[in-house]
């Protein structure tokens, strides 16, 4: 039992007071975990593109003031009533996608989208009492994605906590809480890419590169990376792309370029494509570059409020399939510990995505790095 168990903790957190404004690293209070909740001391947290997206104000579910962050790892400080799956001292990854194993969604076996707490996490509160556990200068601060990891301590639902091997480096496996797991799973779980397939990956940030790594694992014979930032191209080749294309180098729409590049026996198009940008025009190109009759395109990128996807229905009539994935189809509490074990055996890349390391107090600099493009993942250490 820690000496803080049952007490309110005062600690540092990065508070997003308003959309589009810098975060304030300041003292917050974190209430003890209630029934079915776990309080976690965060050790390391990375920034994902989605944190930047919500901070920008483009997320229809964005609530302010809030504590952002959803790609982290830490140690359980205390647990609330009825919590049995973790105990103080356990090493854990908070997961924005819960897995209860008991709700209609979990029991279906058809999806990794758990319905047990989503309605509360979308409203920035905890399920037990529809309230926040965070306060700053007396004001309630919303939770974000049920994780709020830009804080020295956070409270999450038990169904959102994956217990992981305590020998795993927490400042690396935090990336399995979102971006790396999502890209790998999009390929291996959602698309279920077969050996010898051809594929295109749009957007060569962390999520896109993790798709590339997953495609290599699946035995894809051709992996075409697409990114408008030429600074991303060499790294994508190093990750395993057989070709890398900049749409700006071509007069034709990028989907036509890819169809031409993959022409075999009079038909062009990739077997699978992955959209890892969050741009609805790119989503269209990603669908339309797939092969007639069987091409599948997976939407991973998150698009802003009011954005809609479009294509000619004929694209679907002629056999292309449009689908999407959240957290790469992984059932968080069950699959994340396995991913950690696989990472520890060296089965896929994780460390290589960490391009920058900063302290929580430097979080605004970290957001700036994300905007500049040279950064895949910046890991923040608690001060
Ligand atoms: N569905 C899910 O479960 C998840 C979705 N996401 C979303 O996935 C997307 C990617 O995330 P990150 O890799 O962290 O972002 P990132 O910002 O690191 O990577 C995006 C890449 O897209 C490139 N890009 C921008 N415009 C482009 C265009 N027109 N054509 C081709 N490339 C273009 C950028 O240069 C950059 O390299 C984001 O929208 C994020 O919100 C992230 C994690 C989980
Ligand atoms: N809140 C947004 C959509 C945000 C979104 O799509 N989030 C992804 C994860 S992005 C991670 O970095 C996701 O998995 N969504 C499924 C979910 O249950 O949240 C909106 O309202 O458009
Ligand atoms: Zn994310
Ligand atoms: Zn469930």
């Amino acid at each position: 039992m820690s000496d803080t168990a049952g007490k309110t903790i005062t600690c540092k957190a990065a508070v997003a007071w308003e959309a589009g404004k810098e975060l304030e690293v300041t003292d917050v209070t974190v209430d003890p975990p209630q029934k079915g909740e776990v309080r976690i001391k965060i050790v390391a947290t990375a920034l994902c593109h989605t944190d930047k997206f919500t901070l920008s104000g483009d997320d229809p579910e964005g609530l302010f003031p809030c504590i952002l962050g959803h790609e982290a790892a830490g140690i359980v400080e205390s647990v609330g009533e009825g919590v049995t799956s973790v105990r103080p001292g356990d090493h854990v990854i908070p997961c924005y996608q819960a897995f209860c194993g008991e709700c209609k969604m979990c029991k279906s076996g058809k999806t990794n989208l758990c319905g047990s707490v989503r309605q509360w996490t979308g409203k920035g509160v905890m399920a037990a009492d529809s309230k926040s556990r965070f306060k700053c200068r007396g004001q309630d601060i919303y939770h974000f994605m049920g994780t709020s990891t830009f804080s020295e301590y956070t409270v999450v639902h038990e169904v959102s906590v994956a217990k992981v091997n305590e020998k795993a480096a927490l400042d690396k496996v935090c990336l399995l809480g979102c971006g790396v797991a999502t890209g790998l799973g999009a390929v291996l779980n959602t698309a279920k890419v077969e050996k010898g397939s051809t594929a295109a990956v749009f957007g060569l940030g962390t999520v896109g590169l993790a798709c590339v790594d997953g495609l290599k694992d699946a035995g894809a014979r051709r992996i075409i990376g697409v990114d408008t930032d030429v600074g991303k191209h060499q790294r994508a080749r190093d990750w395993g792309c057989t070709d890398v294309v900049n749409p700006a180098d071509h007069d034709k729409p990028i989907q036509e370029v890819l169809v031409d590049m993959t022409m075999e026996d009079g038909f062009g198009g990739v077997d699978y494509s992955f959209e890892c940008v969050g741009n609805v025009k790119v989503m269209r190109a990603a669908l339309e570059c797939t092969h007639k009759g069987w091409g599948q395109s997976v939407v991973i990128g998150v698009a802003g409020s009011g954005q809609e996807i479009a294509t000619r229905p004929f694209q679907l009539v002629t056999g292309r399939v449009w689908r999407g994935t959240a957290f790469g189809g992984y059932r968080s509490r069950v699959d994340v510990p396995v991913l950690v074990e696989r990472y520890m055996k060296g089965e896929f890349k994780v460390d290589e995505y960490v391009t920058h390391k900063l302290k929580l107090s430097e979080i605004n600099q970290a957001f700036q790095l994300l905007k500049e493009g040279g950064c895949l993942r910046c890991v923040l250490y608690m001060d």
Side-chain angles (χ1 to χ4, degrees):
M1 190 68 114
S2 67
D3 11 320
T4 44
K7 298 178 187 156
T8 294
I9 291 176
T10 300
C11 67
K12 295 286 180 205
V15 179
W17 289 103
E18 269 182 75
K21 295 275 166 63
E22 288 211 334
L23 309 186
E24 184 193 8
V25 180
T26 184
D27 282 340
V28 298
T29 57
V30 186
D31 287 340
Q34 295 199 10
K35 190 172 176 181
E37 297 174 3
V38 179
R39 191 161 59 183
I40 300 169
K41 180 175 169 46
I42 298 293
V43 171
T45 180
L47 281 76
C48 167
H49 182 100
T50 307
D51 297 305
K52 179 161 75 84
F53 161 81
T54 300
L55 181 59
S56 76
D58 279 344
D59 182 352
E61 281 191 312
L63 293 164
F64 296 89
C66 72
I67 296 174
L68 296 164
H70 64 282
E71 201 174 274
I75 300 171
V76 173
E77 174 272 336
S78 63
V79 300
E81 186 191 328
V83 171
T84 54
S85 59
V86 289
R87 56 186 181 192
D90 282 347
H91 288 209
V92 294
I93 294 182
C95 298
Y96 77 83
Q97 197 58 251
F99 183 81
C100 76
E102 287 165 9
C103 72
K104 179 183 179 187
M105 304 288 274
C106 286
K107 281 200 294 198
S108 75
K110 296 178 181 180
T111 178
N112 67 328
L113 301 175
C114 170
S116 65
V117 292
R118 183 63 180 85
Q119 67 187 102
W120 291 277
T121 58
K123 293 195 174 75
V125 294
M126 300 303 292
D129 57 357
S130 296
K131 290 192 176 142
S132 168
R133 304 284 169 262
F134 296 112
K135 276 196 177 57
C136 182
R137 302 195 274 276
Q139 185 177 344
D140 280 341
I141 306 295
Y142 287 113
H143 295 242
F144 171 65
M145 288 174 83
T147 50
S148 288
T149 61
F150 295 160
S151 176
E152 289 177 314
Y153 288 85
T154 189
V155 175
V156 306
H157 300 101
E158 179 183 15
V159 289
S160 308
V161 183
K163 181 179 167 183
V164 301
N165 190 326
E166 63 181 32
K167 296 201 183 79
L170 295 177
D171 60 344
K172 302 296 188 310
V173 295
C174 57
L175 271 50
L176 293 171
C178 187
V180 172
T182 298
L184 290 172
V187 171
L188 302 171
N189 304 325
T190 308
K192 297 190 173 64
V193 171
E194 309 92 348
K195 191 165 189 286
S197 301
T198 58
V201 178
F202 290 78
L204 299 168
T206 295
V207 176
L209 290 175
C211 286
V212 173
D213 206 23
L215 285 162
K216 269 180 58 190
D217 190 35
R221 70 181 156 94
R222 195 155 179 205
I223 307 171
I224 306 174
V226 183
D227 203 301
T228 44
D229 176 1
V230 289
K232 297 282 199 323
H233 288 197
Q234 186 52 47
R235 182 161 46 201
R237 285 191 193 92
D238 298 342
W239 242 256
C241 281
T242 53
D243 312 71
V244 185
V245 184
N246 180 3
D249 290 343
H250 300 270
D251 296 328
K252 284 197 283 196
I254 189 66
Q255 50 269 53
E256 289 180 28
V257 173
L258 295 192
V259 168
D260 289 348
M261 280 172 75
T262 50
M263 196 61 73
E264 289 172 8
D265 299 333
F267 292 95
V270 291
D271 300 320
Y272 296 96
S273 73
F274 301 87
E275 201 279 352
C276 313
V277 180
N279 175 322
V280 292
K281 291 206 169 69
V282 177
M283 290 174 192
R284 179 176 192 154
L287 176 81
E288 295 180 357
C289 78
T290 63
H291 203 286
K292 184 176 183 176
W294 63 73
Q296 282 196 41
S297 186
V298 182
V299 172
I300 308 174
V302 172
S305 190
Q307 298 287 303
E308 293 184 350
I309 48 175
T311 192
R312 281 186 68 210
F314 188 63
Q315 294 285 335
L316 306 183
V317 167
T318 50
R320 293 169 193 83
V321 176
W322 223 342
R323 46 198 316 197
T325 191
F327 198 45
Y330 284 117
R331 296 160 305 154
S332 58
R333 272 206 297 170
V334 177
D335 293 332
V336 168
V338 179
L339 281 175
V340 169
E341 297 300 325
R342 291 190 55 203
Y343 153 70
M344 291 172 80
K345 287 187 199 141
E347 291 183 22
F348 49 79
K349 290 183 168 61
V350 173
D351 301 13
E352 293 84 346
Y353 297 90
V354 181
T355 52
H356 297 78
K357 296 176 184 180
L358 290 173
K359 293 189 262 184
L360 177 68
S361 56
E362 298 170 311
I363 191 164
N364 288 306
Q365 204 182 318
F367 271 102
Q368 197 51 42
L369 284 169
L370 277 194
K371 286 184 194 146
E372 285 163 11
C375 172
L376 288 177
R377 282 300 190 254
C378 178
V379 172
L380 302 177
Y381 294 80
M382 297 301 143
D383 299 320

